[in-house]
Amino acid sequence: MVELLSFISPGQNIVDVCNHGDKLIVETCSKKCKKVKSKGIAFPTCISVNNCAGHFSPIPEDPAVVLKEGDLVKIDLGVHIDGYISQCAHSTVIGLPSDSAPLSGRLADAVCAAYFAAECAQRLLRPGKTNTEITKIIQKVASIFHVNPLEGVLSHELKRNLIDGNNVIINKADIDQNVEEFKFEVNQVYAIDIVMSTGEGKARETTQRTTVFKRAIDRSYQLKLQAARTIFHEIMEKAPILPFTMRCLDEKKRRMGIVEIVKHDLLDSYPVLFEKDGEFIVQFKFTALVLPTSTTKLNTFPLPHVTSEYSVDSDPEVTAVLAMSTKRKNKKKKPANKGGGGGTGGGGGGGGTGTEAAEGDMEED
């Protein structure tokens, strides 16, 4: 992700950026854990701009979409080593000078809301707390900054070779969309996905082609077309469990072959979704480990330089959550050590609260 954030710039075709991102994942993973054969892409690189909510990962045959200066770009990707997954997504505004004044307005409000909601989520992701508590704090932070959480977004528990576990945190709850409440436990892993919209918070499918899929392992069908059978065999070899992009498939047969496969529900689709024109969608996603003495975030990247007229200081509940430490004491009592050694490793001055960590990158008036 860090290399891709440095690479991306105005004038680039999105398909080239996606290809570069996937190439970086494969090359970097090949240098790690060399004894492990199964490693690489857990979720293909997606580049979604401005009001596009996600999953935009075009193939070369699609009409070119070129990045422009000032575009709000969301980069979403995932990697795995031996089936153990780490997912992340980050939002950035491209092409702005490093010494430019902080951005303000509706886009900045959405960035601030997504950032502080993500910080709150990490602090509430601890044993004994519930998924509904995180959903409520996301909505509360969104209200402070006068934006809306995007409907239909789920943060899944991650397990080995499983990117969409049954335990989920919903980004926005309503009458039509809700999930079962549960308590978090030690040694769980979650991909926390926070998505904010300057619009009404409802993304819709358009005519944009879906190119990201995942094998539906509980379904089967005897395919009729030779092209479909060839492509399905390729999917089973390259991505039998985790999501993939059509770019990794035979370019001569993928467009024809994928149609019959999707028609008979052998794949789960990740459709490209859009808010209304003129709106902005901001996304921050990170993988978090619920450990006995801490909740550890695996993915942290430089924030866009923005400022908002609104402040989390206006809400005591949100400020109280942000003041919570991501570290906690181990409840197991240990025998007293008369030698007076170094104490616990979790105390002391680790990086402060998420609000403090953002200083210099994000300003609040």
Side-chain angles (χ1 to χ4, degrees):
M1 176 67 82
V2 173
E3 290 188 44
L4 200 54
L5 285 168
S6 300
F7 172 80
I8 197 168
S9 64
Q12 293 172 325
N13 188 338
I14 286 181
V15 71
D16 295 331
V17 181
C18 291
N19 278 328
H20 185 70
D22 289 348
K23 182 180 178 182
L24 282 174
I25 293 173
V26 173
E27 289 180 350
T28 303
C29 287
S30 68
K31 301 172 184 176
K32 306 288 185 181
C33 304
K34 293 188 176 181
K35 292 184 179 180
V36 177
K37 294 183 179 180
S38 176
K39 54 189 173 183
I41 297 171
F43 196 88
T45 305
C46 298
I47 305 293
S48 306
V49 180
N50 296 330
N51 66 318
C52 180
H55 306 150
F56 189 69
S57 191
I59 57 179
E61 304 95 282
D62 291 336
V65 179
V66 178
L67 296 172
K68 303 184 297 295
E69 182 178 321
D71 275 344
L72 170 67
V73 178
K74 296 167 287 293
I75 306 174
D76 189 3
L77 54 83
V79 304
H80 80 96
I81 301 291
D82 200 21
Y84 295 99
I85 300 163
S86 177
Q87 278 189 280
C88 60
H90 195 68
S91 298
T92 186
V93 180
I94 63 169
L96 300 182
S98 57
D99 59 349
S100 61
L103 292 172
S104 59
R106 294 159 62 244
L107 187 157
D109 295 338
V111 170
C112 291
Y115 168 76
F116 285 111
E119 291 294 304
C120 287
Q122 182 187 0
R123 285 154 176 76
L124 291 176
L125 188 64
R126 57 177 60 208
K129 295 291 186 180
T130 66
N131 55 336
T132 54
E133 290 179 84
I134 291 181
T135 300
K136 289 176 182 177
I137 205 71
I138 292 171
Q139 180 61 64
K140 185 170 279 290
V141 173
S143 298
I144 292 173
F145 290 96
H146 297 259
V147 297
N148 283 302
L150 192 69
E151 291 182 0
V153 177
L154 298 174
S155 297
H156 287 271
E157 182 180 5
L158 302 176
K159 296 185 178 183
R160 189 181 185 190
N161 293 317
L162 183 63
I163 203 168
D164 51 0
N166 290 332
N167 284 339
V168 296
I169 306 159
I170 194 166
N171 195 55
K172 182 179 182 178
D174 60 29
I175 296 174
D176 297 325
Q177 294 180 326
N178 218 325
V179 297
E180 185 176 345
E181 185 176 68
F182 66 92
K183 290 184 177 181
F184 302 117
E185 299 176 4
V186 172
N187 296 327
Q188 290 181 328
V189 181
Y190 288 87
I192 302 298
D193 196 3
I194 307 296
V195 187
M196 295 290 184
S197 171
T198 59
E200 58 184 10
K202 296 180 179 180
R204 301 167 180 84
E205 289 188 57
T206 65
T207 56
Q208 188 66 53
R209 178 205 308 276
T210 296
T211 61
V212 179
F213 302 93
K214 182 174 71 71
R215 170 77 175 96
I217 58 175
D218 59 335
R219 300 170 210 148
S220 61
Y221 177 79
Q222 187 63 44
L223 296 165
K224 303 296 189 296
L225 294 177
Q226 178 61 41
R229 292 197 296 270
T230 300
I231 290 299
F232 190 72
H233 179 73
E234 190 175 4
I235 291 170
M236 293 302 293
E237 284 190 335
K238 293 181 176 179
I241 299 173
L242 296 172
F244 64 92
T245 169
M246 285 176 61
R247 288 191 307 276
C248 75
L249 304 176
D250 186 306
E251 61 185 54
K252 294 182 179 180
K253 298 180 179 179
R254 59 192 176 197
R255 294 182 66 178
M256 181 182 296
I258 205 76
V259 173
E260 186 185 10
I261 299 172
V262 171
K263 179 181 178 180
H264 294 286
D265 298 322
L266 298 182
L267 299 176
D268 291 323
S269 302
Y270 292 81
V272 184
L273 303 173
F274 289 86
E275 252 279 19
K276 293 180 179 178
D277 288 343
E279 304 295 351
F280 295 103
I281 291 180
V282 176
Q283 178 185 30
F284 293 126
K285 183 194 295 185
F286 61 91
T287 300
L289 313 180
V290 185
L291 303 175
T293 58
S294 68
T295 298
T296 300
K297 182 193 293 187
L298 297 186
N299 327 94
T300 303
F301 311 105
L303 294 165
H305 193 197
V306 301
T307 183
S308 175
E309 63 180 297
Y310 308 111
S311 172
V312 291
D313 293 338
S314 64
D315 192 291
E317 182 181 352
V318 173
T319 54
V321 172
L322 288 170
M324 296 168 62
S325 175
T326 58
K327 297 180 180 180
R328 43 192 179 270
K329 294 180 179 180
N330 194 333
K331 293 184 179 181
K332 292 183 179 179
K333 293 184 179 180
K334 297 182 178 179
N337 184 355
K338 295 182 180 180
T344 63
T353 68
T355 308
E356 294 164 345
E359 289 183 359
D361 292 302
M362 181 176 299
E363 299 174 4
E364 284 192 345
D365 290 342

